Amino acid sequence: MGNMKSRQVTHQLQYKGRKRESTIPVVIDVPKQPTDVGIVLTHGRNGDMDSDHLPQYAEYFRKQGFTCVRFTCTNPYMNYRSNVYQAVFNATQTWPETQHIKRWVLAGRSMGARSVCEVAHRAATGKGTSARAPAVEGRSGDSDDEGEDLGQAGLPPVNPDLQILGGILFSYPLQRQGEPDVRDTPLIHLRLPLIFIHGSRDDFLPHELWKSTLAKMSTQDVEVHVVEGLNHLMNLPRSQADQQQAVNKGYLKFAGAFVRRVAGLPPRQRQPSAAGGRRRAAEAAGGQCAAHESHGSDSSS
């Protein structure tokens, strides 16, 4: 592999739902010297694979030696999105750039983070979340997709040959401001390692609700990184826009360290020190984090 060059490869996946068919564009960032671990990455509700800072995320993971698969799904329905994520995950075993990779970390921002949880839940239980997702602010975009239900629309199950090592959840949308619905299912039932990265100005994570949700988590392997100044879109205020790339790079170091830890890989470069114990929490300010240990269900952001 010494003579290999990093490269970017594109694919198109035909996904056929119960009532519609979509062409899903996929980009794979392949490192010069790839490890045996891959990352699937997707965007939020109104974005695409070139928004939400995803190109910078993919470049960072590639430089860390992780093959990164990102895709665009513009359908606004939660269940459809999760089904597409599952289809892309399974399709990694059909593409020459990824068919040898059996160990994966699933990643997403906002709505994409919810899809990560749903696909991981399906892989662990063999079934979808039982609760029907309620509409948000009277819109249909967060509800079931005209029959595209949590029975996975006839999809083959998550490939049992693929191991999900953990989940990276950027800006997890726990609750929309002013709405009663709490999006904690299947999140609180997952038992795999998770890392949450979100901004101090993220209004989708009410502080007390977030603390109580962390206390209910089934997994004991949780990292939380709160980045000072970022909003739900992971953006700084316009007056600080010139610092955005540096702040992104700061918190991505924690994501990269998380992947290496759950994969049992040695550190590739200097990384932030982590407190001992299985459950971890950290707070980041401007891309710089101070880690502290949290015990049991008392973890807070």
Side-chain angles (χ1 to χ4, degrees):
M1 292 186 180
N3 296 324
M4 289 183 61
K5 295 181 178 180
S6 61
R7 64 194 192 279
Q8 193 173 82
V9 182
T10 61
H11 291 283
Q12 289 190 335
L13 175 69
Q14 294 301 125
Y15 172 74
K16 187 174 182 180
R18 288 190 174 182
K19 292 194 174 183
R20 68 192 70 186
E21 185 170 347
S22 300
T23 299
I24 307 300
V26 178
V27 169
I28 304 177
D29 290 275
V30 184
K32 290 181 180 179
Q33 295 181 309
T35 66
D36 67 338
V37 178
I39 297 172
V40 181
L41 175 66
T42 195
H43 55 87
R45 179 187 176 87
N46 296 316
D48 59 37
M49 64 182 170
D50 291 321
S51 66
D52 297 349
H53 308 294
L54 262 62
Q56 185 179 359
Y57 295 0
E59 180 183 13
Y60 179 83
F61 289 134
R62 175 182 59 77
K63 288 181 178 179
Q64 292 294 307
F66 305 123
T67 300
C68 186
V69 178
R70 56 193 162 106
F71 65 94
T72 293
C73 180
T74 57
N75 187 291
Y77 294 91
M78 185 63 230
N79 298 333
Y80 196 96
R81 286 280 188 99
S82 298
N83 289 346
V84 168
Y85 199 121
Q86 179 175 327
V88 170
F89 186 37
N90 282 343
T92 60
Q93 298 305 283
T94 69
W95 297 320
E97 302 81 21
T98 53
Q99 60 184 3
H100 64 288
I101 300 176
K102 307 301 180 184
R103 304 200 301 159
W104 292 87
V105 171
L106 306 187
R109 194 199 72 80
S110 191
M111 194 175 190
R114 293 181 66 198
S115 292
V116 167
C117 296
E118 177 62 29
V119 173
H121 176 74
R122 293 176 182 181
T125 66
K127 58 185 179 181
T129 307
S130 59
R132 296 175 66 85
V136 173
E137 293 183 344
R139 297 174 297 181
S140 60
D142 207 44
S143 63
D144 291 311
D145 184 18
E146 300 175 5
E148 187 79 5
D149 62 16
L150 294 174
Q152 306 174 39
L155 280 174
V158 177
N159 190 327
D161 294 332
L162 301 179
Q163 181 184 4
I164 301 176
L165 301 176
I168 303 175
L169 309 179
F170 297 101
S171 297
Y172 187 86
L174 185 62
Q175 183 184 53
R176 179 180 287 271
Q177 192 171 26
E179 293 291 324
D181 301 308
V182 179
R183 301 152 172 177
D184 60 358
T185 303
L187 173 65
I188 60 174
H189 303 299
L190 298 178
R191 296 187 178 276
L192 74 164
L194 298 173
I195 180 171
F196 294 89
I197 301 176
H198 60 265
S200 63
R201 299 189 298 127
D202 191 336
D203 56 6
F204 282 68
L205 286 162
H207 184 68
E208 292 303 318
L209 179 61
W210 176 233
K211 287 176 63 177
S212 65
T213 299
L214 285 174
K216 293 187 292 184
M217 297 281 289
S218 296
T219 179
Q220 291 296 302
D221 192 340
V222 178
E223 292 184 30
V224 178
H225 299 276
V226 183
V227 188
E228 183 64 33
L230 297 188
N231 62 12
H232 184 66
L233 297 176
M234 302 295 282
N235 290 332
L236 287 168
R238 290 185 180 181
S239 61
Q240 302 175 32
D242 60 335
Q243 303 174 36
Q244 185 73 56
Q245 295 294 309
V247 169
N248 290 356
K249 186 175 180 180
Y251 64 73
L252 282 172
K253 290 179 181 179
F254 291 89
F258 171 82
V259 177
R260 302 194 80 83
R261 177 174 70 82
V262 299
L265 298 174
R268 183 184 175 106
Q269 59 185 26
R270 185 178 179 181
Q271 59 186 344
S273 61
R278 297 182 62 208
R279 181 179 289 271
R280 303 172 183 180
E283 295 183 351
Q288 302 296 319
C289 293
H292 65 273
E293 184 174 359
S294 177
H295 299 278
S297 60
D298 296 330
S299 178
S300 63
S301 58

